Amino acid sequence: MDEKQTLIAEFRQQLTRAAWRMQYHNRFRMNRELPIAAAERSGAGEDDEQTLSVLYVQEVLLGIPSDSGRSVMRKLIVEGKTEKEVSRELGISQQAVNKWKRKSVEAIRRQMMRSAN
């Protein structure tokens, strides 16, 4: 009987650790993917700084050359959706969403480098 209780306690501990890891990774992913949406939700109102931030984000998104990349980035960054949710909405794979995200980030980086010079 002691062995059974020990085994149950061990499994319970492993499940607790696995659940904690899943929550941690999900929280980390959400914070990494959704910083703008989280900032908008935490804001108390439409002040000048927030309005400028929104306008800047819209301007940056317009600098992405492809409509698909722009759409993916808008859903990920502005609307605060995950890659999985965006892939379901657009009817493409999650890998395709990730690829569009990488291409779009590269386009934004190039745009910022040009504007800095």
Side-chain angles (χ1 to χ4, degrees):
M1 195 67 172
D2 273 343
E3 284 183 36
K4 186 176 180 181
Q5 288 177 343
T6 304
L7 189 61
I8 289 172
E10 190 176 316
F11 282 136
R12 183 175 288 134
Q13 183 180 21
Q14 289 177 0
L15 282 172
T16 303
R17 286 180 183 165
W20 183 88
R21 270 190 232 110
M22 288 171 54
Q23 287 177 343
Y24 174 80
H25 288 294
N26 189 41
R27 222 177 293 125
F28 178 78
R29 180 183 51 82
M30 294 296 283
N31 287 337
R32 184 173 40 111
E33 290 182 1
L34 311 174
I36 293 175
E40 286 178 356
R41 283 192 295 270
S42 67
E46 285 291 314
D47 60 346
D48 291 340
E49 187 176 321
Q50 186 176 10
T51 302
L52 287 175
S53 295
V54 170
L55 289 173
Y56 181 72
V57 168
Q58 289 174 352
E59 181 182 338
V60 168
L61 287 175
L62 288 174
I64 298 171
S66 70
D67 290 335
S68 298
R70 205 173 305 125
S71 174
V72 165
M73 291 302 282
R74 180 171 283 117
K75 288 180 183 298
L76 287 172
I77 305 300
V78 178
E79 295 177 19
K81 297 182 179 178
T82 64
E83 287 182 3
K84 194 173 198 173
E85 291 170 335
V86 173
S87 69
R88 273 192 232 130
E89 279 186 26
L90 298 178
I92 58 177
S93 69
Q94 190 171 346
Q95 289 174 332
V97 170
N98 190 291
K99 184 178 178 181
W100 279 114
K101 181 174 76 171
R102 281 187 283 119
K103 283 183 175 184
S104 299
V105 167
E106 180 61 27
I108 292 169
R109 187 188 67 75
R110 279 185 301 210
Q111 176 188 1
M112 290 180 149
M113 293 297 287
R114 270 187 265 129
S115 66
N117 292 334

